[in-house]
């Protein structure tokens, strides 16, 4: 390997589910090549600040953090993102895009100061418009895909229908259409497509522009592992010639499991310590998920009827703190379930999932939650809310058999209410031994740890990724 000092510039996306795996993959790349340094250009976001300032964050002098200033107010987004869409992922993309001039300035500063050769520019899947900056400086760019290969494959299928077959994919909204998506064993229903792809107000255009930019990159590294999505990874890798896909590297699961739960969570862990093995149902819906008040009443009633022990992370939408909105629970719920279950705010999710008392996870199927659940061998009940969670839910239920279904096509903005009976039945299927999900999740636990040890599939992909980055920059 070269003895020259080399550098990567990495723009992680906003949100906990983007920054954690970005830092984790960065650390692994530094271990792979001792003359490599990585500068992370961080969007000035409270979640990112909180994480990078936390005690569990281990600095390495070759891992540098540079927080970008706030973008100018009213700066108009570039052409990809002139949209009227009010969908949260689209608004997040537009906000990231406003940072483009700041990223350009930061890259210029790095190029002028560094004595190392800048060998690549890595952008999170939410920051694809920044690839223009890499092109201006003639730096090869790579995409860091924090979701699963399932979503990448769906995106590529929709891009092909749009660009090559001239189909307006927004027409599939609310339709019963099904698609053949590369690597999926079953036809994929339009009902599990992300709302953004179906959005006529510009969301779909932004999603397709993202897909086109991904295809033009020099490589895509995905937070997944070969054994979890073997057929999809294989089909994406084989489509290089016809579909001009860049190389795919499955380098996950990228999880931060080193952090011991903070002391503020010790009473939750102490409570779990008192529960029998695999007896507790854990319910948690990501960093921003939440339900309508009516839906929460049904969920509460389902937990009461099921009689199972539970740990429920209940928060209002977009609330990351530990305050519990008790006023929206069914009246008397906390008294009646006292001793059987606990209602909490923010959960120490990784620590909870790895606790022996936890037997099932009712999850929104955010990709990090899927990976954490598989890492711990905990089966899921899939109840997606937004973004690409519906296709993840479809995959874990129909393709992998590691989850039972609550509703794989549920959406956060729906007026539909899933009844207490339906939820209680899903919890029973999740916790009973006959459904087989527990055994399949246990198998996946073995496979996920095998992927990340020396000689495992993800470590091999990581080594070839670093090799290819160096090779691509030398020509
Ligand atoms: N998380 C947590 N406690 C919570 C909610 C979420 O620790 O109460 C963590 C969870 O372990 C995961 C991340 O936040 O690592 C959420 O990422 P995911 O991709 O699952 O969902 P998103 O928040 O992006 O919807």
């Amino acid at each position: 390997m070269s003895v020259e000092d080399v550098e990567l510039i990495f723009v992680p996306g906003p949100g906990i589910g983007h920054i954690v795996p970005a830092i984790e993959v960065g650390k692994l790349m530094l271990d792979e090549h001792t003359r490599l340094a990585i500068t992370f250009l961080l969007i000035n976001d409270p979640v990112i600040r909180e994480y990078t300032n936390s005690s569990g964050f281990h600095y390495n002098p070759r891992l540098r953090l540079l927080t970008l200033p706030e973008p100018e107010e009213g700066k108009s987004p570039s052409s990809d993102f002139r949209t009227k869409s009010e969908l949260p992922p689209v608004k997040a993309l537009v906000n990231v895009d406003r940072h483009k001039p700041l990223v350009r300035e930061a890259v210029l500063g790095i190029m002028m100061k560094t004595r190392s050769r800048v060998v690549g520019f890595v952008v999170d899947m939410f920051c694809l418009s920044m690839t223009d900056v890499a092109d201006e400086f003639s730096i090869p760019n790579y995409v860091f895909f924090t979701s699963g290969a399932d979503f990448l494959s769906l995106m590529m299928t929709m891009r092909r229908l749009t660009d090559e077959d001239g189909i307006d994919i927004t027409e599939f909204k609310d339709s019963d259409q099904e698609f053949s998506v590369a690597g999926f064993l079953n036809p994929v229903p339009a009902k599990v497509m992300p709302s953004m792809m179906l959005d006529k107000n510009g969301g779909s255009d932004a999603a397709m522009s993202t897909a086109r930019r991904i295809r033009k990159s020099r490589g895509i590294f995905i937070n997944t592992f070969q054994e979890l999505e073997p057929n999809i990874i294989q089909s994406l890798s084989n489509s290089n010639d016809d579909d001009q896909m860049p190389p795919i590297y499955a380098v996950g699961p990228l999880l931060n499991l080193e952090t011991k739960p903070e002391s503020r969570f010790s009473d939750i862990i102490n409570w779990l310590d008192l529960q029998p093995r695999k007896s507790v149902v854990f319910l948690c819906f990501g960093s921003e998920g939440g339900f309508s008040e009516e839906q929460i009443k049904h969920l509460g009633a389902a937990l009461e009827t099921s009689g199972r022990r539970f740990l429920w992370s209940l928060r209002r939408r977009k609330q990351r703190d530990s305050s519990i909105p008790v006023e929206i629970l069914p009246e008397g719920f906390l008294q009646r379930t006292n001793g059987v279950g606990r209602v909490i705010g923010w959960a120490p999710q990784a620590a909870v999932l790895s606790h022996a008392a936890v037997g099932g996870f009712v999850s929104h199927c955010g990709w990090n939650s899927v990976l954490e659940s598989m890492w711990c061998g905990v089966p899921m009940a899939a109840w997606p809310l937004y973004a690409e969670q519906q296709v993840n839910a479809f995959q874990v239920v129909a393709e992998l058999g590691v989850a039972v279904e609550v509703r794989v096509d549920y959406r956060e903005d729906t007026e539909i209410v899933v009844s207490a009976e339906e939820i209680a039945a899903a919890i029973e299927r999740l916790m009973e031994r006959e459904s087989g999900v527990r055994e399949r999740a246990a198998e996946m636990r073995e496979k996920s740890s095998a992927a990340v040890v020396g000689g495992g599939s993800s470590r091999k992909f990581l080594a070839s990724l670093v090799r290819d980055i160096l090779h691509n920059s030398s020509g």
Side-chain angles (χ1 to χ4, degrees):
M1 193 164 277
S2 156
V3 288
E4 165 196 35
D5 287 333
V6 289
E7 176 150 354
L8 269 180
I9 301 174
F10 198 138
V11 189
I16 194 75
H18 295 255
I19 185 69
V20 174
I23 299 287
E24 290 307 311
V25 79
K27 289 188 203 162
L28 292 170
M29 291 169 98
L30 296 182
D31 290 346
E32 191 62 37
H33 186 357
T34 52
R35 306 298 290 266
L36 173 70
I38 305 180
T39 301
F40 285 88
L41 301 183
L42 303 177
I43 287 165
N44 194 354
D45 167 78
V47 174
I48 293 185
R49 263 199 316 273
E50 192 189 318
Y51 179 67
T52 51
N53 289 335
S54 68
S55 54
F57 187 82
H58 298 296
Y59 285 91
N60 174 323
R62 291 184 289 127
L63 192 161
R64 298 162 192 153
L65 304 179
L66 202 143
T67 301
L68 296 167
E70 281 295 324
E72 270 173 55
E73 257 326 299
K75 191 102 198 145
S76 58
S78 55
S79 54
D80 284 5
F81 300 109
R82 295 208 182 107
T83 159
K84 293 199 281 301
S85 179
E86 284 299 310
L87 290 173
V90 186
K91 285 168 104 182
L93 283 171
V94 172
N95 182 42
V96 167
D97 185 68
R98 290 168 59 233
H99 290 75
K100 206 152 134 182
L102 302 168
V103 168
R104 185 177 295 118
E105 245 171 77
V107 173
L108 188 62
I110 294 169
M111 300 286 277
M112 280 168 41
K113 263 206 313 234
T114 187
R115 284 201 222 112
S116 316
R117 192 160 60 84
V118 177
V119 288
F121 191 76
V122 182
V123 289
D124 178 274
M125 59 194 276
F126 255 88
C127 308
L128 261 295
S129 67
M130 305 297 174
T131 55
D132 290 343
V133 179
D135 292 344
E136 284 167 33
F137 288 93
S138 304
I139 310 172
N141 64 63
Y142 299 85
V143 175
F144 179 46
F145 204 82
T146 55
S147 225
D150 60 338
F151 178 43
L152 180 60
S153 191
L154 178 66
M155 265 178 115
M156 291 303 147
T157 298
M158 292 304 138
R159 186 216 60 83
R160 209 176 45 245
L161 293 180
T162 307
D163 292 353
E164 274 140 52
D165 303 342
I167 292 172
D168 175 3
I169 59 169
T170 62
E171 297 295 323
F172 298 135
K173 190 163 191 276
D174 302 323
S175 83
D176 289 323
Q177 184 89 27
E178 293 184 325
F179 307 94
S180 154
V181 175
F184 280 74
L185 305 171
N186 300 287
V188 178
K191 292 211 160 74
V192 301
M193 277 168 68
S195 302
M196 179 174 162
M197 275 188 191
L198 301 166
D199 175 36
K200 284 187 187 300
N201 281 327
S204 183
D205 295 340
M208 291 305 100
S209 151
T210 299
R212 288 178 204 116
R213 285 175 183 266
I214 290 176
R215 262 176 95 230
K216 284 202 197 131
S217 71
R218 301 296 294 271
I220 309 167
F221 47 121
I222 315 182
N223 188 6
T224 188
F225 55 103
Q226 172 83 41
E227 294 75 9
L228 181 65
E229 303 182 279
N231 301 328
I232 303 179
I233 292 168
Q234 172 105 45
S235 334
L236 287 169
S237 306
N238 289 348
S239 58
N240 284 0
D241 294 337
D242 329 340
D243 210 23
Q244 298 165 337
M245 278 294 280
I248 303 285
Y249 309 88
V251 295
L254 301 160
L255 308 169
N256 176 14
L257 302 165
E258 283 172 36
T259 332
K260 289 235 161 5
E262 295 163 49
S263 52
R264 66 185 166 121
F265 296 126
S266 49
D267 78 310
I268 296 174
I269 304 297
N270 293 344
W271 181 79
L272 283 173
D273 288 344
L274 299 174
Q275 312 307 316
R277 266 180 72 74
K278 299 199 189 303
S279 67
V280 176
V281 185
F282 173 51
L283 303 97
C284 188
F285 301 91
S287 54
E288 303 207 331
F291 293 104
S292 68
E293 294 195 12
E294 197 189 351
Q295 185 61 78
I296 284 171
K297 293 210 170 11
H298 279 265
L299 181 42
L303 288 171
E304 278 193 65
T305 5
S306 99
R308 298 270 179 188
R309 289 162 212 268
F310 67 86
L311 181 66
W312 180 9
S313 168
L314 169 67
R315 301 189 312 274
R316 287 189 186 276
R317 285 176 189 154
K318 299 201 181 298
Q319 290 284 315
R320 297 190 75 246
D321 60 19
S322 285
S323 61
I324 307 162
V326 279
E327 64 287 356
I328 55 181
L329 283 168
E331 216 176 312
F333 177 84
L334 291 177
Q335 291 75 15
R336 287 192 301 275
T337 57
N338 189 16
V340 179
R342 294 275 313 260
V343 179
I344 58 171
W346 184 260
Q349 180 168 300
V352 169
L353 285 172
S354 53
H355 197 287
V358 173
F361 180 22
V362 182
S363 169
H364 74 317
C365 299
W367 190 248
N368 292 283
S369 295
V370 170
L371 292 175
E372 288 163 14
S373 204
M374 293 302 94
W375 180 261
C376 300
V378 177
M380 288 172 282
W383 194 346
L385 296 171
Y386 53 87
E388 88 304 3
Q389 294 153 14
Q390 288 80 13
V391 70
N392 296 341
F394 178 76
Q395 175 169 235
V396 291
V397 172
E399 301 275 307
L400 304 176
V402 292
V404 300
E405 174 174 12
V406 177
R407 285 272 178 97
V408 294
D409 57 359
Y410 187 88
R411 287 179 202 264
E412 185 180 48
D413 50 10
T414 181
E415 281 172 16
I416 294 169
V417 174
V418 186
S419 71
E421 294 71 34
E422 219 179 312
I423 305 165
I427 291 176
E428 270 329 289
R429 288 196 305 279
L430 173 66
M431 298 303 280
E432 76 187 5
R433 296 212 64 93
E434 286 74 52
S435 66
V437 284
R438 188 173 282 190
E439 289 67 24
R440 283 187 289 273
E443 277 169 32
M444 219 37 100
R445 172 193 179 136
E446 301 297 318
K447 290 180 176 171
S448 54
S449 41
V452 299
V453 294
S457 60
S458 296
R459 289 297 172 270
K460 286 189 185 149
F461 270 122
L462 187 88
S464 59
L465 168 66
V466 173
R467 230 181 7 249
D468 291 352
I469 290 176
L470 293 174
H471 174 80
N472 292 343
S473 71
S474 57

